[in-house]
Amino acid sequence: MASGTDRSQSTTTNGVEELSISKRKVALITGITGQDGSYLTELLLDKGYEVHGLIRRSSNFNTQRINHIYIDPHNVHKARMKLHYADLTDASSLRRWIDTISPDEIYNLAAQSHVAVSFEIPDYTADVVATGSLRLLEALRSHITTSGRTHVKYYQAGSSEMFGSTPPPQSEDTPFHPRSPYAASKCAAHWYTVNYREAYGIFACNGILFNHESPRRGENFVTRKITRAVGRIKIGLQSKLFLGNLQASRDWGFAGDYVEAMWLMLQQDKPDDYVVATEESHTVEEFLEKAFGYVGLNWKDHVEIDKRYFRPTEVDNLKGDSSKARKALGWKPKVGFEQLVKMMVDEDVELAKREKVLVDAGFMDAQQQP
Ligand code: NDP
Ligand code: GDR
């Protein structure tokens, strides 16, 4: 699906089309195939942007979350989302695409984003999350220097994991104490972003986002792991769910709400850093109670603890203070905890029903997940 297109290929000989294209804002998103990338793309397309996404090469297509908004690039009148191969570990690709696309806004969402996995592949996590962000900032700095396009804005996907063991409520003034290679790498990316803002005057913002979930959440994050299991247990495709620490507490919001905060940060007159959170925290156990209870099940009948899912160092308690974002950006979450759980369970019950049809027809093993 990725193409080698550039902006000039989007223009036509039709004057009206060319005018509207030249006036259109252009966004570049890394991590477009991820949960947040898909919601942000929808938001920006709705606002009339042309959206370019960098995707990495994989042996299977990794574009499931954005397939529904993909239009063949040969359809120049309609295709406003374009995909290009690049990788945060490949500086030359980042530099080339920034120069070719000439974006007005860059959203750096790409990451090895799984905290537990970062203990298994720490070098790679640092390479993508920390040094990858530095590569992108450096490519942007070089682009601005050579093109004179000083208005380009940059968003860095920071994380509440940076606060780690510092007790809640956590705000922009709370000291970082990262508890994983992932979190330490996000701290580096945060400070690279601050430094490029101070050293070169680049419009660069850090969004310090607390956990945000959705039916598009990766299936090995705890909320989706739970709602997938609830759906499959309800439909009779599985009976047990193995989890780790149930006492960790998280400030869980809806991803669709959080991408709006990213966009708002880049619409301000001055660059700054913002915490984005619901200001409500719940334990994994509370999530279990709500999700299983919603479909009339008792989580205690199905959940077993597996030590494999405990982390060498845990983040016990996250609860954000997002008063700055609420005041300065006029942002607030629309979806609350209960609504989020129901939205995810509803979608995963439907997904399990579709799986059941395949299992019953002999096209899929019940143990197998698509
Ligand atoms: P996902 O894991 O769903 O998406 C990560 C994206 O990064 C995917 O598109 C992935 O591609 C891409 N990616 C991974 N490695 C590379 C690489 N080497 N080069 C280029 N692209 C790469 O994350 P989310 O959408 O949930 O999160 C978006 C960002 O926000 C991440 O940086 C995450 O760390 C951060 N964050 C997320 C929070 C959350 O609660 N969701 C909270 C705070 C911060 P592929 O599809 O091929 O795997
Ligand atoms: P987190 O999300 O580490 O907060 O990072 P995750 O859903 O992985 O874990 C949340 C909490 O649940 C506990 N837990 C389990 N976690 C997983 N994944 N699997 C289990 O079986 C399990 N059992 C219990 C964890 O120990 C933890 O305490 C997410 C990611 O999106 C990051 O990229 C992002 O930066 C932060 O949120 C904010």
Side-chain angles (χ1 to χ4, degrees):
M1 250 166 67
S3 74
T5 56
D6 60 26
R7 262 171 109 183
S8 61
Q9 280 173 281
S10 310
T11 57
T12 70
T13 49
N14 174 327
V16 177
E17 179 71 9
E18 280 184 4
L19 184 67
S20 63
I21 285 172
S22 68
K23 277 188 171 168
R24 217 175 253 163
K25 270 197 183 175
V26 177
L28 173 62
I29 302 177
T30 73
I32 193 168
T33 55
Q35 171 189 254
D36 292 6
S38 68
Y39 283 108
L40 180 64
T41 301
E42 286 172 359
L43 179 89
L44 296 178
L45 290 175
D46 276 354
K47 291 185 182 298
Y49 281 62
E50 179 175 307
V51 176
H52 292 256
L54 300 187
I55 65 168
R56 59 181 177 155
R57 195 269 159 183
S58 65
S59 64
N60 278 316
F61 279 125
N62 50 4
T63 53
Q64 294 89 335
R65 292 188 180 97
I66 48 174
N67 283 345
H68 63 288
I69 39 177
Y70 182 78
I71 294 173
D72 189 312
H74 300 99
N75 187 342
V76 289
H77 294 279
K78 289 206 172 139
R80 279 193 288 121
M81 178 184 77
K82 291 153 202 225
L83 303 176
H84 316 281
Y85 282 115
D87 200 298
L88 278 203
T89 60
D90 183 329
S92 65
S93 64
L94 303 175
R95 173 79 201 273
R96 185 172 63 256
W97 284 121
I98 291 183
D99 284 343
T100 306
I101 293 162
S102 289
D104 301 301
E105 296 171 9
I106 299 175
Y107 296 86
N108 183 26
L109 309 186
Q112 188 303 94
S113 71
H114 202 284
V115 173
V117 172
S118 78
F119 289 99
E120 309 291 328
I121 47 169
D123 289 25
Y124 176 73
T125 301
D127 195 14
V128 177
V129 177
T131 310
S133 303
L134 180 64
R135 288 185 190 103
L136 192 61
L137 282 162
E138 193 49 24
L140 172 59
R141 179 171 82 93
S142 156
H143 173 72
I144 291 173
T145 307
T146 51
S147 69
R149 301 180 72 249
T150 53
H151 71 280
V152 188
K153 297 178 175 182
Y154 176 90
Y155 172 84
Q156 170 60 32
S159 165
S160 52
E161 282 293 299
M162 298 188 295
F163 297 123
S165 56
T166 313
Q170 293 100 357
S171 74
E172 295 80 4
D173 300 323
T174 303
F176 295 151
H177 187 143
R179 299 269 286 171
S180 63
Y182 166 81
S185 301
K186 280 289 182 190
C187 288
H190 174 96
W191 288 114
Y192 289 142
T193 305
V194 172
N195 181 243
Y196 272 60
R197 182 166 75 212
E198 292 175 353
Y200 308 116
I202 294 177
F203 192 113
C205 299
N206 285 294
I208 306 175
L209 272 51
F210 282 61
N211 298 54
H212 44 278
E213 320 294 312
S214 74
R216 297 184 201 166
R217 184 59 141 151
E219 294 189 19
N220 59 354
F221 295 97
V222 78
T223 56
R224 188 79 201 289
K225 188 171 167 184
I226 293 170
T227 62
R228 277 290 273 141
V230 167
R232 288 170 56 83
I233 291 168
K234 183 72 188 165
I235 300 303
L237 291 173
Q238 92 185 48
S239 62
K240 291 282 172 222
L241 168 63
F242 294 94
L243 293 174
N245 176 17
L246 306 187
Q247 297 319 315
S249 202
R250 290 289 182 276
D251 181 331
W252 278 299
F254 171 53
D257 289 343
Y258 284 45
V259 297
E260 199 182 355
M262 298 175 187
W263 175 78
L264 283 167
M265 286 177 213
L266 298 199
Q267 310 315 308
Q268 305 306 304
D269 292 336
K270 289 196 178 131
D272 208 341
D273 305 327
Y274 302 89
V275 158
V276 177
T278 68
E279 307 192 339
E280 206 182 295
S281 191
H282 297 272
T283 60
V284 174
E285 189 173 312
E286 285 167 346
F287 195 103
L288 280 170
E289 264 165 19
K290 219 20 117 202
F292 277 82
Y294 179 50
V295 296
L297 296 170
N298 183 345
W299 68 271
K300 289 183 180 157
D301 296 335
H302 302 282
V303 172
E304 283 186 23
I305 301 302
D306 183 339
K307 287 206 169 77
R308 262 191 319 158
Y309 297 116
F310 282 81
R311 296 166 184 187
T313 38
E314 176 62 284
V315 171
D316 294 319
N317 197 358
L318 292 175
K319 183 177 176 216
D321 169 356
S322 55
S323 45
K324 179 176 170 183
R326 290 176 193 232
K327 190 158 180 266
L329 306 178
W331 177 87
K332 64 170 193 259
K334 297 184 188 88
V335 177
F337 178 68
E338 189 156 343
Q339 204 184 338
L340 174 68
V341 177
K342 287 180 176 173
M343 177 202 300
M344 293 177 71
V345 171
D346 281 340
E347 293 252 0
D348 279 334
V349 168
E350 287 310 310
L351 181 55
K353 282 182 189 161
R354 293 199 293 276
E355 281 176 24
K356 179 85 166 47
V357 173
L358 294 177
V359 170
D360 289 348
F363 291 121
M364 202 179 114
D365 191 295
Q367 301 303 314
Q368 187 191 333
Q369 297 191 5

